[in-house]
C-alpha cells in the first residue's frame, strides 16, 4: 500500500476471483463458467469485425440492443449493456445508493466489496437456517436492495410473488435482482419491469450464453432508471462495451437453438450429478443454477476442496463460518462430471 492511496480505501478488501489455472492440468469447476464454447456462427463474426478495430465501438450498442430487445420483447429504452454484469452492479451502486445498501449476508462477494469501495453502509441480512432468503426481512427497509436470484453460492431461488412483495413494500427505493443464473431455472423478473418502476434486473452473457471471456452484462428497468444509469455510465466510460463483444453478443442471441440446447444439457447433468451425490451421502441444496452447493458429514468443505484439488479437480470453497462445510461445484460436461463423481467416491468410500 502506498502513502498515496485515498484514506477511505485503506481497509478495502478486494474481491477474490476464482482461480484461473492451466486448463490442461485441471478440471476447472470453480467459477461457474459454461462448459460449452460459443456456437461457431458466433465466433465467425470476429473476422468480420476485426478490420474495423481502428474505429471506436458504438457507445449505444444499437445492433446488440435491437437483437436483445426483439428476443425478449422489451423496449430498447429499457435496456443498458456494460462490461460484464459486475460493471452494471457498480453503476447501480453509484446511481441509486445514497448511504446504505441491503443484501443477503451469504451471496455474491462483490456486493460487500462495492459497499466498501463506494463508502456505503452494508446492511447484511442473514439467510434462514436452511439458507433461504426470507422476503419478510426485506420489507420497508428504506435502502437500496440487492438480491441474487438464484442466490450464489447456494443456488436457491425465491419466487416472483415474494419479489413482488419486496418491491411493493419498498416503493421509494430501488430493488436490484441479479439474475446471473436465472436461465438455469426459468424464473425471471424481466416481465415485472413493466409493472414496477423501482426494479432493476441485472443479467449476464457469461453463464448461459457461453461468453464469460467476452464480458457482457445488461440491465433491464423502466426508461427513467435506465436513463439514470446511462447518465452515470456516460460520465466516465461511454465506450464500455467493445466492438468485438457487441458483435459476439448480437450473434449469440440469434443462435437460439444452440443457447437452449446448452442450457438443457447443463440442467440434465446438474440433476444427474445431484443423484450421484445423494448416493454418496452428500446433502445438497436445491439448485436453480449451473452449480451445486453440497456438504458431507465426514469432511469439512476445506478438506473436500483440497482432496479434489489433489486429484486435479478445482471447485470453490468459502471460508465463512455458516457455509465452510460446503463446496460449490460448477456443472461441467458429462465426462467431467463422471470424473468428479469417481473422485468423490474414492474420497468418501
Amino acid at each position: 500500500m502506498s502513502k498515496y492511496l485515498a484514506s477511505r480505501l485503506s481497509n478495502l478488501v478486494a474481491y477474490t476471483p476464482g482461480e484461473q489455472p492451466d486448463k490442461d492440468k485441471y478440471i476447472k469447476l470453480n467459477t461457474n463458467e459454461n462448459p460449452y464454447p460459443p456456437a461457431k456462427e458466433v465466433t465467425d463474426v470476429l473476422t468480420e469485425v476485426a478490420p474495423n478495430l481502428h474505429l471506436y465501438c458504438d457507445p449505444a450498442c444499437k445492433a446488440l440492443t435491437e437483437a436483445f430487445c426483439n428476443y425478449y420483447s422489451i423496449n430498447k429504452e429499457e435496456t443498458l449493456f456494460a462490461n460484464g454484469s459486475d460493471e452494471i452492479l457498480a453503476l447501480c451502486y453509484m446511481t441509486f445508493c445514497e448511504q446504505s445498501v441491503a443484501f443477503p449476508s451469504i451471496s455474491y462477494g462483490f456486493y460487500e466489496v462495492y459497499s466498501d469501495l463506494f463508502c456505503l453502509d452494508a446492511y447484511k441480512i442473514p439467510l434462514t437456517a436452511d439458507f433461504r432468503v426470507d422476503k419478510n426481512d426485506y420489507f420497508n427497509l428504506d435502502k437500496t436492495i440487492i438480491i441474487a436470484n438464484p442466490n450464489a453460492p447456494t443456488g436457491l431461488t425465491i419466487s416472483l410473488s415474494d419479489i413482488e412483495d419486496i418491491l411493493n413494500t419498498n416503493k421509494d427505493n430501488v430493488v436490484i435482482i441479479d439474475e446471473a443464473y436465472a436461465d438455469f431455472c426459468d424464473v425471471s423478473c424481466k416481465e415485472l419491469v413493466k409493472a414496477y418502476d423501482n426494479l432493476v434486473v441485472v443479467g449476464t452473457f457469461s453463464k448461459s450464453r457461453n461468453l464469460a471471456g467476452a464480458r457482457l452484462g445488461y440491465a433491464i428497468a423502466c426508461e427513467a432508471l435506465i436513463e439514470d444509469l446511462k447518465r452515470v455510465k456516460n460520465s466516465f466510460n461511454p465506450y464500455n462495451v467493445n466492438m468485438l463483444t457487441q458483435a459476439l453478443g448480437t450473434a449469440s442471441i440469434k443462435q437460439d437453438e444452440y443457447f437452449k440446447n446448452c442450457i438443457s444439457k447443463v440442467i440434465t447433468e446438474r440433476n444427474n450429478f445431484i443423484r450421484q451425490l445423494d448416493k454418496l451421502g452428500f446433502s445438497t441444496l436445491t439448485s436453480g443454477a449451473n452449480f451445486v452447493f453440497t456438504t458431507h458429514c465426514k469432511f469439512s468443505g476445506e478438506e473436500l476442496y483440497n482432496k479434489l484439488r489433489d486429484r486435479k479437480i478445482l471447485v470453490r470453497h468459502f471460508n465463512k463460518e455458516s457455509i465452510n462445510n460446503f463446496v460449490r461445484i460448477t456443472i461441467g460436461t458429462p465426462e467431467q462430471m463422471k470424473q468428479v463423481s469417481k473422485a468423490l467416491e474414492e474420497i468418501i468410500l
Side-chain angles (χ1 to χ4, degrees):
M1 182 187 304
S2 80
K3 65 181 181 180
Y4 304 106
L5 180 70
S7 60
R8 70 180 185 279
L9 302 180
S10 60
N11 294 320
L12 180 66
V13 178
Y15 175 75
T16 303
E19 184 179 355
Q20 299 289 337
D22 186 335
K23 65 180 181 179
D24 294 327
K25 294 182 179 179
Y26 289 89
I27 296 176
K28 188 174 179 299
L29 303 175
N30 63 330
T31 50
N32 300 340
E33 294 143 321
N34 198 304
Y36 303 105
K40 181 180 181 299
E41 293 83 355
V42 175
T43 54
D44 282 349
V45 305
L46 294 178
T47 56
E48 300 172 15
V49 177
N52 295 315
L53 287 176
H54 63 293
L55 303 173
Y56 280 110
C57 57
D58 174 13
C61 302
K62 289 190 287 291
L64 174 60
T65 299
E66 182 179 1
F68 183 86
C69 292
N70 285 342
Y71 185 85
Y72 288 110
S73 299
I74 56 179
N75 298 324
K76 63 180 182 179
E77 296 82 10
E78 298 172 338
T79 305
L80 175 69
F81 290 94
N83 184 8
S85 60
D86 291 335
E87 186 178 52
I88 290 288
L89 291 169
L91 290 170
C92 287
Y93 269 75
M94 288 187 281
T95 305
F96 303 122
C97 299
E98 291 282 0
Q99 295 179 322
S100 59
V101 58
F103 49 84
S105 59
I106 301 297
S107 196
Y108 183 35
F110 248 128
Y111 303 157
E112 185 169 1
V113 173
Y114 280 156
S115 299
D116 293 338
L117 179 62
F118 297 117
C119 302
L120 299 166
D121 292 329
Y123 186 51
K124 292 175 279 189
I125 301 175
L127 300 177
T128 63
D130 57 352
F131 301 103
R132 295 187 177 276
V133 171
D134 185 343
K135 67 176 182 180
N136 296 286
D137 294 333
Y138 294 82
F139 290 172
N140 304 305
L141 290 187
D142 194 29
K143 296 173 175 59
T144 304
I145 296 170
I146 303 179
I147 297 173
N149 194 38
N151 195 16
T154 67
L156 295 171
T157 61
I158 58 175
S159 68
L160 293 185
S161 62
D162 283 357
I163 291 173
E164 288 195 83
D165 288 341
I166 294 170
L167 287 162
N168 283 318
T169 57
N170 292 278
K171 290 187 175 181
D172 293 328
N173 296 93
V174 170
V175 177
I176 301 159
I177 303 297
D178 185 351
E179 294 193 343
Y181 303 100
D183 286 325
F184 299 102
C185 65
D186 199 29
V187 175
S188 175
C189 293
K190 292 182 181 70
E191 287 297 316
L192 296 183
V193 166
K194 302 181 187 305
Y196 295 93
D197 64 2
N198 61 331
L199 170 63
V200 177
V201 178
V202 177
T204 178
F205 280 52
S206 294
K207 315 300 182 185
S208 60
R209 288 197 176 272
N210 320 63
L211 290 176
R215 311 307 302 133
L216 182 59
Y218 60 85
I220 301 173
C222 70
E223 183 176 353
L225 293 183
I226 292 297
E227 282 300 319
D228 293 341
L229 290 168
K230 285 181 179 178
R231 177 180 296 195
V232 174
K233 188 267 288 190
N234 290 331
S235 296
F236 78 97
N237 191 13
Y239 300 102
N240 63 332
V241 182
N242 70 71
M243 188 181 295
L244 297 175
T245 293
Q246 289 187 41
L248 289 168
T250 303
S252 75
I253 293 168
K254 297 176 181 178
Q255 297 302 314
D256 188 50
E257 184 177 351
Y258 186 82
F259 164 65
K260 291 178 177 177
N261 184 48
C262 287
I263 291 173
S264 178
K265 288 193 290 187
V266 170
I267 291 173
T268 297
E269 198 55 41
R270 179 189 71 197
N271 296 338
N272 290 339
F273 184 54
I274 291 173
R275 285 192 286 270
Q276 291 300 315
L277 291 173
D278 290 344
K279 292 178 182 178
L280 294 173
F282 280 84
S283 296
T284 307
L285 300 186
T286 302
S287 177
N290 67 335
F291 58 83
V292 297
F293 202 52
T294 192
T295 183
H296 198 282
C297 61
K298 291 184 179 180
F299 299 94
S300 70
E302 185 175 12
E303 287 174 316
L304 285 171
Y305 166 81
N306 286 325
K307 288 179 181 295
L308 286 170
R309 185 182 177 85
D310 289 342
R311 291 165 171 79
K312 303 301 181 183
I313 298 169
L314 279 185
V315 298
R316 196 78 189 264
H317 174 251
F318 299 91
N319 195 27
K320 285 190 173 184
E321 184 175 355
S322 60
I323 58 172
N324 59 9
N325 281 329
F326 284 80
V327 289
R328 190 192 70 191
I329 305 174
T330 304
I331 301 303
T333 64
E335 180 55 36
Q336 287 175 326
M337 301 318 293
K338 286 179 183 177
Q339 293 182 61
V340 177
S341 295
K342 181 180 178 181
L344 288 173
E345 186 174 349
E346 293 173 357
I347 294 167
I348 301 302
L349 303 180

